[in-house]
Amino acid sequence: MADPTPRETPARKAIQVEGLEKRFPTPDGKSETQVFGDVWFDIHEGEFVCLIGHSGCGKTTLLNILAGLDRPTSGAVIVDNREIDGPSLDRAVVFQGHALMPWMSALKNIAFAVKSRWPAWDRAKIRAHCQTYIDMVHLTGSEDKRPSMLSGGMKQRVGIARAFSIEPKILLMDEPFSALDALTRGSLQDELVSICRETNQTSFMITHDIDEAILLADRIVLMTNGPNARVCEIVRNTLPKSRTRSNMHTDPNYYPMRNHLIEFLVNRSKSFRDEVSAASYDPRHPPVVEPVASPDKAA
């Protein structure tokens, strides 16, 4: 008898991370230190994946490899069934700092990226395209301001608008809100949620903020401490996709999810480093966890 319950067809894999390892030479040059190794995970089209781990586990190095700005010691990153070998306009990056050119206005910073993406476009088409994304991040009226005239949050909005303006297949973010105050950070998180849901943007983000990961991510990749860091497990977000900053704490699965992530960062990120060599651990298929409330608490 056929299963009467319709099943979703899994989305196509946008990124495949296969056996990545990164080593750096020691100061004396006589040996090497492995930052991370045997890292495997996928990101599907339209999916938002966050990576959490302590400083030193190679999070930024991993993101730079995904962006094509660095090369792994071994392993590969596959995008569209091809191994990446350098940067591409199909992969946009938003860094911790705004990375804007100080002599250019907000609009011209965005236009510079748009011209690179579509060199045949005329000036009017470029400006109209840029304006769409300036309006999207609520910077209307600040088009002609240079970075020195913008607040930290406004600079990051320009960086986000610039990344989205080239319509990348994959958006990569390295703690883009870490230097901002809590109110600005929350506002930009809301903007990012709205834009990603509207555009179905495939996204990968590094963060130290547990609540940020719970708000944004469909799945959360947990890295053990470095050196010799590994993917400990992958947590599937059990909160509804319609969650917001103002209501997600009311969901019965919120605290099980949050407590699971805190427990990892406080305790398991250290101890599991010695467990990943156990025969029961398969780095190609890290454990998938779905923290949920117990029935009596959910009722």
Side-chain angles (χ1 to χ4, degrees):
M1 181 176 177
D3 186 349
T5 304
R7 299 181 183 274
E8 292 185 6
T9 302
R12 191 174 70 92
K13 293 177 181 178
I15 301 180
Q16 296 166 260
V17 176
E18 300 185 347
L20 283 192
E21 178 192 35
K22 185 63 177 180
R23 294 179 176 271
F24 289 106
T26 56
D28 60 13
K30 296 180 180 179
S31 61
E32 292 182 323
T33 297
Q34 186 193 68
V35 181
F36 55 77
D38 223 358
V39 172
W40 298 75
F41 63 89
D42 300 325
I43 302 174
H44 295 86
E45 285 186 344
E47 186 178 31
F48 200 123
V49 172
C50 281
L51 186 147
I52 288 180
H54 287 292
S55 296
C57 70
K59 299 186 299 297
T60 295
T61 300
L62 178 57
L63 184 137
N64 286 339
I65 292 172
L66 298 185
L69 301 174
D70 198 355
R71 293 182 179 274
T73 304
S74 62
V77 177
I78 309 299
V79 175
D80 286 338
N81 297 316
R82 296 179 60 184
E83 182 177 352
I84 66 171
D85 58 1
S88 167
L89 290 172
D90 285 335
R91 283 168 275 124
V93 186
V94 180
F95 297 101
Q96 291 183 35
H98 52 80
L100 302 180
M101 288 170 279
W103 61 90
M104 289 186 177
S105 66
L107 187 142
K108 288 183 178 179
N109 265 281
I110 300 169
F112 183 83
V114 174
K115 287 178 185 176
S116 300
R117 180 66 159 165
W118 296 285
W121 283 11
D122 60 33
R123 183 178 300 180
K125 188 170 183 179
I126 289 173
R127 183 178 181 91
H129 186 80
C130 293
Q131 191 66 51
T132 298
Y133 290 91
I134 287 174
D135 296 343
M136 186 179 290
V137 297
H138 299 135
L139 278 177
T140 310
S142 298
E143 294 86 349
D144 297 325
K145 293 181 179 179
R146 294 184 180 182
S148 61
M149 304 168 67
L150 302 174
S151 68
M154 293 171 77
K155 292 173 186 175
Q156 282 301 77
R157 287 176 186 269
V158 176
I160 292 170
R162 179 175 58 187
F164 276 99
S165 72
I166 62 173
E167 299 179 359
K169 293 181 179 178
I170 300 159
L171 179 65
L172 305 170
M173 293 169 282
D174 186 2
E175 297 189 80
F177 312 135
S178 60
L180 304 176
D181 64 88
L183 289 176
T184 303
R185 184 187 187 110
S187 175
L188 286 179
Q189 287 170 350
D190 290 341
E191 296 294 337
L192 186 60
V193 167
S194 176
I195 296 171
C196 286
R197 288 176 184 170
E198 179 182 336
T199 61
N200 199 36
Q201 177 68 57
T202 304
S203 306
F204 176 77
M205 180 176 177
I206 291 170
T207 180
H208 280 104
D209 189 322
I210 287 175
D211 282 323
E212 183 170 74
I214 295 173
L215 173 65
L216 297 172
D218 298 305
R219 291 187 297 146
I220 303 167
V221 178
L222 305 182
M223 290 282 287
T224 64
N225 291 1
N228 305 312
R230 298 291 190 274
V231 174
C232 170
E233 64 187 25
I234 297 176
V235 177
R236 196 184 307 279
N237 197 335
T238 53
L239 275 66
K241 287 187 73 71
S242 59
R243 61 191 176 272
T244 65
R245 280 192 307 126
S246 61
N247 70 16
M248 69 179 184
H249 69 281
T250 65
D251 189 279
N253 289 340
Y254 168 73
Y255 284 105
M257 174 79 61
R258 194 173 194 275
N259 291 341
H260 184 88
L261 297 177
I262 290 174
E263 170 66 15
F264 168 77
L265 289 175
V266 172
N267 295 317
R268 297 179 57 237
S269 63
K270 304 171 186 177
S271 62
F272 195 81
R273 184 174 57 186
D274 300 323
E275 298 173 20
V276 294
S277 59
S280 60
Y281 176 80
D282 181 359
R284 296 186 180 219
H285 302 95
V288 177
V289 181
E290 297 185 353
V292 296
S294 59
D296 58 321
K297 292 183 179 180

